Amino acid sequence: MGRIRRSVTTYRHAPYNLRSRSRVKYDSLSSLLAGDDNPKEYKKRKILPTVSSLTLCAEENAAAHHTDVYQTVYLVLRRGQPFTFRIKFNKKLDSDENVRIVLSTGRSPYASQGTLLFFQLRNSAERFGWKMTACSPDEQDYELKFVSPSDAVIGKYSVSVQISSESSVKTSKLKETFCLVFNPWNSEDDTYMEGSAERDEYVMNETGRIFVGSKSSKHGRPWIFGQFEECCLESALHILNITDLADAALSNPVLITRAFSKMANSFDDDGILCAL
């Protein structure tokens, strides 16, 4: 007589422990996004709300952050300074529904490295120096107010929203992204410049002169920096992405400057520039 084999389904990223029903903590973005399947033991699945829209308030934020001159399709923000987003759900949130706003950056975002950040929608929280508060008049439209630390990791950030109840969990990665850069206007940022004339000259001025020659014989040459053009910022982010710096190291302007210097040298370090 043949043996009857029993089929067992294993849920690798179940959002709850099947015995204790305790929350599983996600440390990486991949495990977070893969954790949407629910155990079949839950006979009744609740239909969770979905995100109708996320507004990054681009004009308002860019003007306050001195980044409205960037010619990018995404919002550019400066670290150590408040900014506001607005999020709308397709229906009002029930009292038993939990919502987490997730920000992630880097090649391999991890919570332990400060490159994967979780914020509870209904509870003010601080994560690695980041703060988020939310307010809503109707439990459907929320205004999210963030403050990043003065030593935050720079680079592009993606936004995800995780919605969960006792029986269901759903995580959605949204299409909206923003880029965080250094902040010479913030006195706690390592790139701070005290004088407005210095900031106008070295940060905001798109044209100038570079000096060539020797110590005893030098002259200036007109130069277009074009630092606010989309191709320039994208090129800088790409170079950072192919350096050997860890994601968490992208908070340090000294390490980033050294990495750029190294990547510019093709002869020694397989960089991007070749001498003629």
Side-chain angles (χ1 to χ4, degrees):
M1 183 176 180
R3 302 176 67 181
I4 299 176
R5 301 183 63 184
R6 300 181 62 185
S7 175
V8 179
T9 303
T10 302
Y11 292 86
R12 183 180 179 184
H13 297 293
Y16 294 88
N17 181 287
L18 294 181
R19 292 184 177 179
S20 65
R21 297 287 181 91
S22 61
R23 290 279 185 186
V24 172
K25 294 182 178 179
Y26 300 105
D27 184 61
S28 68
L29 183 63
S30 58
S31 63
L32 171 73
L33 296 176
D36 295 345
D37 292 331
N38 293 295
K40 291 182 179 179
E41 288 189 7
Y42 296 127
K43 297 180 181 179
K44 190 175 181 180
R45 293 185 55 173
K46 182 177 182 179
I47 299 177
L48 296 173
T50 58
V51 177
S52 297
S53 64
L54 175 68
T55 304
L56 302 188
C57 308
E59 291 186 8
E60 172 188 337
N61 286 322
H65 285 242
H66 307 279
T67 57
D68 48 347
V69 289
Y70 276 96
Q71 302 172 20
T72 57
V73 296
Y74 46 81
L75 175 64
V76 179
L77 299 170
R78 297 193 184 275
R79 65 183 189 176
Q81 193 168 331
F83 58 93
T84 301
F85 292 165
R86 292 185 178 90
I87 190 170
K88 182 176 182 178
F89 299 93
N90 67 331
K91 64 177 183 176
K92 292 184 178 181
L93 300 177
D94 294 337
S95 58
D96 66 331
E97 292 171 339
N98 297 309
V99 177
R100 294 202 297 179
I101 308 299
V102 185
L103 303 182
S104 59
T105 186
R107 289 161 290 194
S108 300
Y110 278 93
S112 58
Q113 297 179 5
T115 53
L116 181 62
L117 305 160
F118 300 91
F119 304 95
Q120 291 285 350
L121 186 67
R122 288 181 169 134
N123 296 309
S124 300
E126 182 173 339
R127 297 289 184 272
F128 289 91
W130 284 76
K131 298 178 182 178
M132 190 202 82
T133 57
C135 59
S136 172
D138 57 6
E139 297 292 332
Q140 184 172 357
D141 296 271
Y142 283 83
E143 183 178 77
L144 312 177
K145 293 186 177 182
F146 294 89
V147 181
S148 64
S150 300
D151 60 350
V153 173
I154 66 162
K156 279 188 180 180
Y157 281 73
S158 62
V159 184
S160 302
V161 177
Q162 184 186 70
I163 306 174
S164 62
S165 65
E166 187 177 351
S167 61
S168 304
V169 61
K170 176 171 58 179
T171 303
S172 303
K173 186 174 181 179
L174 306 181
K175 63 180 181 179
E176 290 80 6
T177 61
F178 65 93
C179 183
L180 201 66
V181 297
F182 294 122
N183 192 352
W185 282 264
N186 182 359
S187 60
E188 296 182 356
D189 194 303
D190 288 338
T191 64
Y192 174 64
M193 291 183 175
E194 184 176 1
S196 60
E198 285 185 315
R199 292 194 296 266
D200 289 341
E201 174 67 22
Y202 298 112
V203 179
M204 303 302 294
N205 196 3
E206 297 183 71
T207 62
R209 301 177 74 86
I210 61 171
F211 287 84
V212 297
S214 62
K215 180 179 179 180
S216 58
S217 177
K218 57 182 179 293
H219 63 278
R221 177 181 297 174
W223 200 262
I224 299 175
F225 304 121
Q227 69 270 31
F228 300 122
E229 296 182 12
E230 183 176 11
C231 61
C232 289
L233 183 55
E234 279 295 313
S235 298
L237 294 173
H238 174 70
I239 293 173
L240 285 179
N241 191 52
I242 61 178
T243 65
D244 54 5
L245 287 178
D247 291 340
L250 298 183
S251 63
N252 189 321
V254 175
L255 295 179
I256 289 176
T257 302
R258 290 175 177 173
F260 270 116
S261 177
K262 178 180 178 181
M263 290 304 298
N265 190 346
S266 174
F267 183 75
D268 291 331
D269 299 297
D270 195 24
I272 58 175
L273 297 179
C274 298
L276 298 178

